[in-house]
Amino acid sequence: QVQLVESGGGLVQPGGSLRLSCAASGPIFKINVMGWYRQAPGKERELVAQLVSDGRTNYTDSVKGRFTISGDFGKNTVYLQMNSLKPEDTAVYYCDANIAPSGFIRYYHYWGQGTQVTVSS
């Protein structure tokens, strides 16, 4: 079945950088949107960044200028380059995508399992 697998999380000091990767696999016909959400303890899951297949991007205000989303829709992959990390960026980061599986013409929403990012000295 279709699944999203993230990698690249970990522990980093304030001001440091991390790069998250997400790969979609399985019987995929087409992907039109890929993105990243995060959820900190006691808080709701929030959108961090989004990449549309036409190249448009969208970022939440708190990460603008520090995070960059990129991807290759031909390879079903999306990345999140995170620079100048702050303790408040600590959260579980989830990859998400709108995917039309093989044999389907409509899109379904999928989540990855999440990867922990901890920013601490």
Side-chain angles (χ1 to χ4, degrees), residues 36-98:
W36 293 92
Y37 282 72
R38 66 185 178 187
Q39 187 166 20
K43 294 188 176 181
E44 292 187 354
R45 192 173 297 190
E46 65 168 350
L47 174 67
V48 176
Q50 202 170 49
L51 176 64
V52 186
S53 57
D54 63 5
R56 287 178 291 144
T57 58
N58 180 38
Y59 296 92
T60 192
D61 286 346
S62 63
V63 308
K64 286 180 180 177
R66 300 189 298 122
F67 291 10
T68 302
I69 190 170
S70 62
D72 184 340
F73 283 85
K75 296 182 179 179
N76 300 332
T77 56
V78 67
Y79 308 98
L80 186 67
Q81 178 66 43
M82 304 184 293
N83 298 329
S84 302
L85 282 160
K86 305 175 181 180
E88 51 263 43
D89 294 317
T90 295
V92 178
Y93 283 70
Y94 297 91
C95 175
D96 85 307
N98 290 342

Side-chain angles (χ1 to χ4, degrees), residues 28-40:
I28 295 171
F29 170 56
K30 202 169 185 180
I31 301 176
N32 65 355
V33 181
M34 299 189 81
W36 293 92
Y37 282 72
R38 66 185 178 187
Q39 187 166 20

Side-chain angles (χ1 to χ4, degrees), residues 1 6-7 10 13 16-17 22-23 26 32-33 39 43 56 72 78 85 107 115 120:
Q1 66 272 21
E6 302 108 331
S7 61
Q13 293 187 341
S17 298
C22 173
N32 65 355
V33 181
Q39 187 166 20
K43 294 188 176 181
R56 287 178 291 144
D72 184 340
V78 67
L85 282 160
Y107 289 87
T115 184
S120 175

Side-chain angles (χ1 to χ4, degrees), residues 1-4 95-101 107-112:
Q1 66 272 21
V2 174
Q3 59 178 348
L4 300 177
C95 175
D96 85 307
N98 290 342
I99 299 174
Y107 289 87
Y108 296 85
H109 185 251
Y110 293 85
W111 289 104

